[in-house]
């Protein structure tokens, strides 16, 4: 089943994001290579492709896991969590309809 993982950044998260980004992307790449990643990306804090120093307000990941518990465990082990990038993370089931 698909699960939506949404991380909400703390204020001024940009330096911590930058430091943890390679490890964060490595985990996403592993999901992609396993065919389990539907989409992933950050949410700019302002209406711009590159928010510059404004940074990001959070991230969205939709990936396949065997259970809600497995999705939560994966999210809890994210390098952005360890680095203090996220104030909170929500994980919930997701049902893809389109396209």
């Amino acid at each position: 089943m698909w699960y939506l993982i949404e991380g909400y950044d703390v204020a001024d998260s940009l330096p911590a994001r930058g430091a943890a980004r390679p490890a964060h992307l490595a985990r996403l790449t592993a999901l992609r290579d396993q065919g389990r990643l539907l989409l992933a990306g950050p949410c700019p804090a302002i209406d711009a492709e590159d928010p510059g120093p404004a940074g990001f307000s959070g991230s969205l990941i939709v990936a396949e896991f065997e259970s809600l518990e497995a999705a939560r465990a994966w999210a809890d082990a994210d390098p952005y969590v360890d680095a203090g990038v996220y104030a909170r993370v929500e994980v919930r089931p997701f049902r893809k309809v389109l396209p």
Side-chain angles (χ1 to χ4, degrees):
M1 181 164 179
W2 294 108
Y3 293 90
L4 184 147
I5 301 169
E6 191 166 9
Y8 296 86
D9 282 28
V10 298
D12 303 316
S13 63
L14 203 52
R17 263 184 175 272
R21 189 170 191 262
H24 173 77
L25 290 179
R27 294 179 83 233
L28 292 171
T29 299
L31 283 179
R32 181 202 63 199
D33 292 350
Q34 296 165 12
R36 297 172 44 207
L37 183 66
L38 184 62
L39 66 91
C43 302
I46 60 172
D47 189 13
E49 181 76 20
D50 179 358
F56 300 92
S57 62
S59 301
L60 177 70
I61 299 166
V62 179
E64 187 176 34
F65 294 93
E66 58 192 49
S67 67
L68 180 57
E69 293 77 22
R72 284 185 177 143
W74 188 91
D76 288 344
D78 192 286
Y80 280 179
V81 171
D82 292 338
V85 171
Y86 295 145
R88 74 180 197 280
V89 176
E90 294 182 6
V91 181
R92 55 192 182 274
F94 178 81
R95 193 174 126 215
K96 183 181 178 209
V97 175
L98 294 171

